[in-house]
Structures are given as structure tokens and as C-alpha cells.
Amino acid sequence: MEDKFEPLKKRLYEICDRLDDEEQAYFRPLIQGFSGSTSQFQRIMRDLGKFGEKIGEGSKFEIYRQIQHLFDDGNRKK
């Protein structure tokens, strides 16, 4: 069975690859253990804010919005 959150996890791994080794060691297990719960998602979003400019080029708000949409899309799938 395909993980309905696979697109979200893929995008989070792309962001994770941009982080320092220590940050990756902390963040990667959060992605791997992500089961779709809102509390896990909130923690991931909070931590993205801590990583600052490392999460991507351009607007951080745009990246947050993209991640939120991927989470919402996963929740809509049956």
C-alpha cells in the first residue's frame, strides 16, 4: 500500500538534505516516523522554522505553505 504522505515525506527529505549533519540527525527520524498525525506535523513545522534560511531558496512562507498543502492532500486521500 502506498503511503498517502509519500509526497510530503519526499519534500521534507529534500529540505533535510540541505541541513547540517547534526540537524539532519535530529530531523530525519521525525520524517521517517511520520504517520500523519497532526501533532507530528506541528512539530515538523515548528522545527522547520528553527532551521531558517536553510530550508530553501526564496520565501520561507511559500515553503511552509507548500508543506501544509502536501499534508492536507495526504489527509484527503482514502
Side-chain angles (χ1 to χ4, degrees):
M1 183 175 142
E2 181 184 336
D3 181 356
K4 63 184 183 176
F5 291 104
E6 194 57 40
L8 172 62
K9 288 181 177 181
K10 181 180 177 192
R11 182 64 177 111
L12 290 172
Y13 280 123
E14 290 170 4
I15 291 170
C16 187
D17 289 341
R18 298 176 59 101
L19 304 176
D20 298 336
D21 291 340
E22 186 176 302
E23 292 166 333
Q24 285 186 27
Y26 167 77
F27 196 59
R28 194 168 300 278
L30 295 179
I31 301 168
Q32 291 167 340
F34 182 71
S35 64
S37 79
T38 300
S39 62
Q40 287 175 313
F41 179 71
Q42 289 171 336
R43 181 176 179 189
I44 286 172
M45 290 299 281
R46 183 189 70 229
D47 291 339
L48 284 176
K50 292 178 184 177
F51 299 137
E53 300 299 323
K54 297 177 189 176
I55 67 171
E57 303 295 325
S59 169
K60 287 190 289 184
F61 176 76
E62 184 66 34
I63 295 168
Y64 298 148
R65 189 168 60 185
Q66 178 189 44
I67 298 299
Q68 180 70 54
H69 284 304
L70 290 170
F71 177 70
D72 292 343
D73 290 347
N75 278 325
R76 283 196 223 27
K77 292 182 182 178
K78 298 201 182 218

